[in-house]
Amino acid sequence: MLTQDNRKRIIDLINREVVPAIGCTEPIAVSLCVAKATQMLGSLPEKIGLYLSGNIIKNAMGVGIPGTGMIGLPIAVALGAIVGKPEYELEVLRDVNADAVEKGKQYIDEKRISISLCEDAPSNLHIDCRVSGGGHQARAVISRAHTNYILLERDNETIFREEPQTETTDSSADDIQLTLSMVYDFATTAPLDEIRFILKAKELNLAAAEVALNGGYGHSLGSTIRNCGTKYFGDTPLARMVTYTSAACDARMGGAPVPVMSNSGSGNQGITATMPVVSFARDINASEEQTIRALVLSHLTSIYIKQSLGRLSALCGCVVASTGASAALVYLMGGGFNESCAAVKNMVANLTGMICDGAKPSCSMKISSGVSTAMMSAMLACNNKCVTAAEGIVCDDVDRTIRNLTSIGREAMQETDRLVLKIMTDK
């Protein structure tokens, strides 16, 4: 049984990791860094120089920037300087409007922005922004997490400095180190009033899905399945789960100016941890308590996996979040802890190795694969079917199984990550 102190630490962890974000979090983090440097400079920069880790570049190349109708980093950088407010954090571009977009286009045309790969970045998530203008200069550096400043300078005077750390895990010394049994215990026993806040994830991500279902964003996978796919997918709980999850991703990757609830710095992970649970809970007429507990189980399982995987890697984040969703679907189906463990093992046996080739509209297709696999894994688990320790990287111990997954994503796929970036930048 968890102590009250550990419950509080887990709640604090969820509140840090499950937060609203407008747009893809990598270009938005760049916008945030630019906005902070601009704020310290005190005027619109004449020049902006950015030095970025490969994963930041990879995840920002092909994604829509909210409210602009444009893709990629240049417009995100320009708007960060023109209208970005650092206090909004991952909603830094909340105030974007048509006038700001036109000014941003002009700013780009004036060749004020330079973007370079930081070859020796201390983290897969690293943003070094240097701005100058009016005889002054300022610098802001974000590293390891999307809102984590490690250096702030103005005119070479240090305002704040935190020594960079090599990224081996995604957890700080202050974070409680989770196990799946702790996650399950918390999700199923915590006082309801202490975890009711997770319903905000349902509200935001469902609203994003509705936006895409009523308008053309990304590849319109969600609306295509709903409007044209009944003949092939049927009118089933799985079809609706895929529809609403992919639609929310369509909106986010297509640049809809709406917030989504992220998980561990990723909006798509937040969507994938939320929407299958919300859709299935609605279909089975689950109670509010069941929905709340399932959402907490899904999101906290995802956070737990990310603690050892790291913020950004060559492993697609949908693998992480759909694994959390599968454990939550088991709970909604009436299964217990053992069945949730089985679902996690089934997921690891199936989806391990799905690569991340950047944030982009087609992420909705990968998310749909994750949702379908989550349902299949949960159904197997609830029928006492589980991949065994004799098969692949799965172990009898579920936590060791998760570490096997994350070590592959964090360590073994590093060369994959470099090759994916090379392919993307050489096109």
Side-chain angles (χ1 to χ4, degrees), residues 68 70 75 78 100-110:
T68 69
M70 302 171 67
I75 190 63
V101 173
E102 289 306 311
K103 289 178 180 177
K105 291 177 181 178
Q106 181 180 347
Y107 198 88
I108 295 168
D109 291 341
E110 292 170 354

Side-chain angles (χ1 to χ4, degrees), residues 246-281:
S246 59
C249 181
D250 287 333
R252 178 174 179 262
M253 295 288 94
V258 295
V260 301
M261 191 65 82
S262 66
N263 181 297
S264 303
S266 168
N268 281 351
Q269 286 171 202
I271 288 167
T272 309
T274 302
M275 291 313 301
V277 178
V278 168
S279 178
F280 188 68

Side-chain angles (χ1 to χ4, degrees), residues 252-309:
R252 178 174 179 262
M253 295 288 94
V258 295
V260 301
M261 191 65 82
S262 66
N263 181 297
S264 303
S266 168
N268 281 351
Q269 286 171 202
I271 288 167
T272 309
T274 302
M275 291 313 301
V277 178
V278 168
S279 178
F280 188 68
R282 186 163 56 181
D283 274 341
I284 66 170
N285 295 316
S287 68
E288 181 180 73
E289 177 174 355
Q290 289 173 313
T291 302
I292 290 170
R293 295 195 184 282
L295 283 170
V296 170
L297 179 56
S298 181
H299 276 276
L300 192 56
T301 300
S302 301
I303 292 168
Y304 165 43
I305 298 172
K306 291 291 283 189
Q307 281 187 326
S308 58
L309 178 62

Side-chain angles (χ1 to χ4, degrees), residues 376-387:
M376 178 178 65
S377 297
M379 288 175 60
L380 283 172
C382 286
N383 283 278
N384 300 314
K385 301 295 182 182
C386 178
V387 174

